[in-house]
């Protein structure tokens, strides 16, 4: 479970402190147990439900609309520079 | 070293650049050259409460491509969310398609036939996905390694992409190039993608050598570079095998400045993407009538056009195949033939042997060549009418390609009219004979010296002397010289 948690935190790009790790290991164990129980159900002949509403083929015409202004687009950005969103260094 | 078995599969990302808007929102799609983040809206910025809505034209285009690639088109198509944490998508997922967990991409199980010099090769198409393009990351120092932070421009985010995935049927880098060229020509004939635009076609290549691990090379921007990257990888892997190392499965990045592949970040595995159905987008039902309607509207494709060129213009297979390998080139040829109907083969020769060579030599693309079909037709007419020599025609061509001047203008400006007056050529020939006495006497018994003399006349007239008349004059002068009628 420790290993799974480590992997998940890497996927989510979230660093955990020891205290958080202890709490989450327990939570994740519970979640896994729940999903394992779901896994026991035989769904061999059941078609997967991908959508719960019955609408199909909802389309839009290929007609250009007006984009947001730059000010609005960047309004919620925690960090910006020269019209760009600013993000941490990624490797 | 013995020949090692190479298996190559390609994942080609094609932007549907002919769409006016993005895939799920009505932001305009002509984002190239625009200031960052000015072609964005709540949908492509992934703001809460926004609802993606599918561009109907994108589905039409995808069906056209699927038909052209002989694919089976799924009747119920769904979108899925592919999760990963990377700032090129604000939502932390990309809307794409998936062939498991109840999902179905737009098309599967197609093929593309390639003709190489000695055989016909079939490359199977595994599937075609419709998906959204991510945003663009910009590194302030220009390098991913040295930049202290990353800048993101979401103008490209949400642009409609087709991901075309082949089976690993390709065996050489050259075959990969042929595949991509043909695919490009098909996309251009379908008029769904202007493949010459920067970043419009991006390829990931999977390669394994001698059963070693599968190496994926990401994001190669041009057809030429796909071939180069694959050649580089084959060499790298062969060398590793020679040293007794094993090739591990990994993802590498094509560095198009240094022309090498370098290892990339550790990537997620399939289960890490936590694919699940995009509940915001209802399934799309593709009816038989819809497919039939599109099938009826399909334009002429490269294979049919090739056959028509052979039939209609009497061109050999080779000429036809070179011309249709690029839609714009084939169009250029047909436009020229319209203006110079008397000899299509001659038009093909000039375009394939001279025109293309000069474009290549001047580092141009067909798009930025100044010469138009009417100029090529005019050049051929000047030649036919004896106004210029073939040699001059060959010097005029590069000039009209670069300058956009008409051939007759160039001929006039540079005084390139052909000299076919026998008297004038005789005078020039006499002058040359006197300046090259030894050669003139050698020429009485040595054919090489005759060619030398003719060459000197051509040099003196800058190629304007009519070759046939010149040959005749030189022969006459030599006879005179032999019989003592001519003193040098």
């Amino acid at each position: 479970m420790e290993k799974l948690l480590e992997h998940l935190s890497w996927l989510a790009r979230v660093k955990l402190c020891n205290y958080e790790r202890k709490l989450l290991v327990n939570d994740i164990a519970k979640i896994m147990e729940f999903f394992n129980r779901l896994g026991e159900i035989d769904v061999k002949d059941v078609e997967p439900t991908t959508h719960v509403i019955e609408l199909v083929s909802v389309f839009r015409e290929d007609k250009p609309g007006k984009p947001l202004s730059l000010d609005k687009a960047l309004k919620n950005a925690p960090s910006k520079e020269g019209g760009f969103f600013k993000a941490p260094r990624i490797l | 070293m013995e020949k090692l078995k190479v298996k190559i599969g390609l994942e080609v990302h094609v932007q549907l650049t002919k769409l006016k808007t993005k895939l799920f929102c009505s932001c305009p799609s002509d984002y190239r050259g625009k200031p960052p983040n000015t072609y964005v809206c709540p949908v492509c910025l992934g703001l809460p409460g926004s609802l993606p809505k599918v561009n109907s034209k994108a589905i039409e285009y995808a069906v056209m491509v699927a038909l052209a690639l002989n694919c089976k088109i799924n009747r119920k198509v769904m979108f899925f969310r592919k999760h990963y944490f990377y700032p090129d998508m604000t939502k932390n997922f990309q809307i794409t398609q998936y062939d498991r967990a109840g999902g179905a991409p737009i098309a599967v199980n197609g093929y593309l036939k390639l003709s190489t010099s000695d055989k016909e090769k079939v490359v199977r198409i595994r599937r075609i996905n419709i998906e959204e393009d991510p945003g663009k990351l910009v590194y302030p120092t220009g390098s991913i390694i040295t930049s202290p932070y990353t800048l993101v421009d979401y103008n490209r985010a949400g642009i409609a992409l087709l991901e075309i995935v082949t089976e690993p049927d390709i065996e050489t880098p050259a075959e990969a190039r042929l595949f991509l060229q043909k695919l490009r020509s098909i996309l251009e004939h379908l008029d769904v993608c202007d493949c010459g635009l920067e970043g419009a076609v991006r390829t990931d290549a999977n390669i394994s050598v001698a059963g070693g691990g599968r190496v994926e090379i990401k994001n190669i921007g041009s057809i030429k570079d796909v071939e180069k990257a694959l050649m580089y990888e084959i060499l790298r892997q062969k060398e590793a095998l020679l040293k007794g190392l094993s090739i591990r499965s990994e993802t590498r990045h094509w560095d198009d400045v240094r022309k090498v592949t370098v290892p990339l970040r550790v990537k997620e595995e399939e289960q890490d993407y936590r694919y699940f159905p995009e509940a915001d987008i209802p399934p799309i039902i593709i009816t038989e009538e819809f497919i039939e309607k599109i099938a009826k509207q399909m334009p002429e494709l490269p294979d049919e056009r090739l056959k028509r060129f052979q039939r209609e213009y009497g061109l050999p297979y080779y000429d036809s195949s070179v011309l249709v390998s690029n839609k714009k080139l084939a169009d250029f040829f047909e436009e020229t033939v319209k203006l110079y109907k008397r000899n299509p083969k001659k038009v093909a020769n000039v375009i394939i042997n001279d025109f293309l060579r000069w474009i290549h030599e001047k580092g141009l693309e067909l798009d930025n060549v100044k010469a138009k079909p009417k100029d090529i037709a005019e050049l051929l007419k000047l030649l036919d009418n004896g106004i210029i020599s073939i040699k001059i025609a060959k010097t005029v061509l590069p000039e009209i390609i670069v300058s956009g001047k008409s051939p007759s203008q160039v001929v006039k400006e540079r005084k390139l009219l052909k000299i076919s007056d026998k008297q004038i050529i005789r005078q020039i020939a006499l002058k040359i004979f006197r300046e090259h006495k030894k050669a003139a006497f050698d020429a009485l018994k040595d054919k090489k010296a005759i060619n030398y003399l003719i060459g000197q006349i051509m040099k003196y007239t800058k190629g304007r002397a009519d070759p046939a008349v010149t040959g005749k004059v030189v022969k006459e002068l030599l006879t005179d010289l032999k019989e003592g009628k001519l003193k040098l």
Side-chain angles (χ1 to χ4, degrees):
Chain A
M1 227 36 82
E2 286 277 352
K3 240 188 161 162
L4 178 64
L5 182 63
E6 201 178 298
H7 181 66
L8 289 175
S9 74
W10 172 76
L11 279 179
R13 314 289 188 256
V14 173
K15 262 204 189 109
L16 300 174
C17 67
N18 277 336
Y19 174 68
E20 289 166 322
R21 212 169 287 146
K22 232 183 255 163
L23 286 181
L24 283 168
V25 160
N26 280 329
D27 287 349
I28 284 184
K30 276 183 205 150
I31 294 168
M32 289 304 289
E33 194 195 316
F34 176 65
F35 272 89
N36 285 337
R37 264 169 70 194
L38 284 179
E40 287 166 17
I41 304 166
D42 181 7
V43 289
K44 197 161 74 298
D45 300 318
V46 183
E47 210 181 304
T49 302
T50 57
H51 293 77
V52 289
I53 43 170
E54 290 191 1
L55 275 175
V56 291
S57 303
V58 179
F59 289 124
R60 169 179 67 76
E61 256 185 88
D62 187 29
K63 266 200 192 133
K66 213 172 149 17
L68 288 178
S69 68
L70 182 62
D71 276 354
K72 275 193 173 164
L74 293 176
K75 203 169 172 190
N76 290 320
S79 185
K80 53 197 154 190
E81 182 178 305
F84 290 95
F85 289 83
K86 202 167 160 183
R89 182 168 187 252
I90 316 146
L91 271 182
Chain B
M1 184 168 196
E2 66 184 301
K3 213 168 155 5
L4 295 174
K5 179 97 178 142
V6 174
K7 277 169 118 181
I8 299 166
L10 300 176
E11 272 177 38
V12 192
H13 298 93
V14 176
Q15 285 187 343
L16 298 174
T17 63
K18 296 293 172 129
L19 292 175
K20 292 187 185 74
T21 67
K22 294 185 178 181
L23 180 53
F24 299 119
C25 62
S26 50
C27 282
S29 59
D30 58 333
Y31 67 88
R32 289 180 174 77
K34 300 294 187 301
N37 298 304
T38 53
Y39 275 30
V40 293
C41 75
V43 173
C44 54
L45 282 180
L47 299 184
S50 61
L51 186 69
K53 214 169 170 189
V54 179
N55 183 340
S56 59
K57 201 91 191 160
I59 303 295
E60 242 173 76
Y61 283 179
V63 169
M64 282 166 73
V65 174
L67 287 173
L69 297 179
N70 311 293
C71 290
K72 175 180 165 272
I73 295 163
N74 281 320
R75 295 300 189 267
K76 190 178 177 190
V77 171
M78 271 160 280
F79 285 98
F80 270 64
R81 294 182 177 185
K82 175 184 181 180
H83 298 82
Y84 62 90
F85 291 98
Y86 201 63
D88 61 2
M89 275 294 175
T90 54
K91 308 187 293 290
N92 284 335
F93 61 84
Q94 178 195 30
I95 306 179
T96 178
Q97 298 190 304
Y98 197 44
D99 51 6
R100 290 157 67 179
I106 184 94
V108 293
N109 298 341
Y111 64 89
L112 184 61
K113 269 190 199 161
L114 305 179
S115 300
T116 58
S117 51
D118 52 340
K119 60 176 177 189
E120 194 154 78
K121 162 110 197 176
V122 175
V123 177
R124 289 169 299 158
I125 308 287
R126 184 180 296 170
R127 66 180 152 80
I128 301 178
N129 276 353
I130 308 176
E131 61 187 30
E132 55 179 343
D133 210 351
K136 201 167 184 170
L137 303 184
V138 177
Y139 306 103
T141 66
S143 153
I144 187 171
I145 308 286
T146 57
S147 292
Y149 53 89
T150 313
L151 298 173
V152 198
D153 171 11
Y154 291 108
N155 284 347
R156 194 181 70 185
I159 292 287
L161 279 188
L162 294 185
E163 184 192 60
I164 301 169
V165 183
T166 76
E167 296 290 344
D169 291 341
I170 297 166
E171 288 161 297
T172 64
E175 271 179 19
R177 170 173 48 80
L178 280 178
F179 175 87
L180 291 168
Q181 276 169 348
K182 181 140 188 198
L183 179 63
R184 176 181 169 151
S185 184
I186 289 173
L187 295 166
E188 290 187 335
H189 278 85
L190 292 171
D191 202 24
V192 299
C193 174
D194 191 344
C195 302
L197 291 174
E198 186 267 325
V201 179
R202 283 137 29 212
T203 306
D204 299 343
N206 289 301
I207 174 165
S208 74
V209 174
R214 195 186 76 156
V215 172
E216 183 177 14
I217 316 166
K218 281 286 206 197
N219 225 14
I220 320 171
S222 75
I223 295 178
K224 261 186 234 157
D225 273 5
V226 170
E227 192 176 13
K228 279 187 199 149
L230 286 169
M231 289 198 286
Y232 177 86
E233 245 337 270
I234 291 172
L235 271 178
R236 186 187 71 83
Q237 294 189 25
K238 274 187 181 171
E239 267 172 35
L241 289 170
L242 268 179
K243 286 182 197 149
L245 302 168
S246 66
I247 305 293
R248 63 191 170 110
S249 294
E250 63 170 342
T251 303
R252 299 175 73 87
H253 173 81
W254 171 243
D255 181 334
D256 66 357
V257 178
R258 291 186 296 150
K259 306 290 179 200
V260 296
T261 67
V262 289
L264 205 67
R265 69 192 155 105
V266 185
K267 269 202 70 183
E268 290 89 347
E269 307 212 358
E270 175 138 332
Q271 75 236 26
D272 295 338
Y273 288 126
R274 289 150 289 148
Y275 280 98
F276 66 70
E278 170 53 280
D280 284 348
I281 303 174
I284 290 165
I285 304 297
I286 296 184
T287 62
E288 202 63 50
E289 298 85 72
F290 180 74
I291 296 173
E292 264 169 37
K293 193 180 122 210
I294 291 190
K296 269 194 204 127
Q297 294 166 359
M298 289 282 275
E300 184 183 44
L301 292 174
D303 282 349
E304 299 157 33
R305 198 172 193 188
L306 191 155
K307 283 189 194 125
R308 182 167 63 78
F309 276 18
Q310 290 176 282
R311 197 176 60 233
E312 197 173 318
Y313 304 120
L315 296 183
Y317 174 84
Y318 172 78
D319 296 35
S320 312
S321 70
V322 172
L323 292 170
V324 303
S325 69
N326 178 333
K327 175 172 187 283
K328 283 171 185 158
L329 189 67
D331 291 347
F332 194 99
F333 165 77
E334 291 210 272
E335 288 294 312
T336 310
V337 168
K338 265 188 209 152
L339 302 165
Y340 184 86
K341 293 199 182 80
R342 63 186 95 154
N343 193 342
K345 171 65 181 149
K346 210 167 179 179
V347 176
N349 287 349
V350 170
I351 289 182
I352 294 170
N353 301 332
D354 303 296
F355 185 66
L356 274 185
R357 184 171 65 86
W358 279 112
I359 292 177
H360 193 71
E361 212 146 294
K362 301 271 180 197
L364 297 169
E365 293 288 332
L366 207 49
D367 280 334
N368 43 35
V369 166
K370 293 273 180 61
K372 298 281 169 275
K374 69 169 172 45
D375 299 318
I376 302 298
E378 188 187 325
L379 188 70
L380 288 170
K381 282 176 189 165
L382 289 176
L383 195 58
D384 283 356
N385 299 340
I387 294 168
I388 55 170
S389 67
I390 178 77
K391 222 172 152 181
I392 293 299
K394 284 185 194 269
T395 66
V396 170
L397 189 64
E399 194 161 333
I400 64 173
I401 286 173
V402 180
S403 71
K405 289 176 186 165
S406 76
S408 41
Q409 197 182 345
V410 173
V411 167
K412 212 165 159 190
E413 278 175 15
R414 290 187 32 209
K415 302 190 172 58
L416 295 173
L417 289 180
K418 186 160 81 177
I419 307 169
S420 33
D421 185 319
K422 204 172 160 186
Q423 280 312 310
I424 296 174
I425 292 180
R426 195 180 157 88
Q427 273 173 19
I428 295 166
L430 267 175
K431 184 177 148 58
I432 298 294
F433 271 51
R434 291 195 168 118
E435 279 170 11
H436 302 85
K437 274 185 197 158
K438 189 175 171 313
F441 285 109
D442 286 351
L444 292 175
K445 41 193 187 305
D446 185 358
K447 209 162 165 82
K448 263 193 208 148
I450 299 180
N451 290 337
Y452 175 77
L453 289 168
I454 292 176
Q456 288 302 314
I457 296 168
M458 286 300 171
K459 199 173 159 195
Y460 183 80
T461 59
K462 298 196 176 71
R464 292 164 59 211
D466 184 307
V469 180
T470 307
K472 216 167 146 195
V473 165
V474 167
K475 224 171 163 187
E476 282 172 16
L477 285 178
L478 285 174
T479 315
D480 288 355
L481 190 64
K482 200 174 178 183
E483 292 169 1
K485 284 184 206 157
L486 175 67
K487 295 269 179 303
L488 293 183

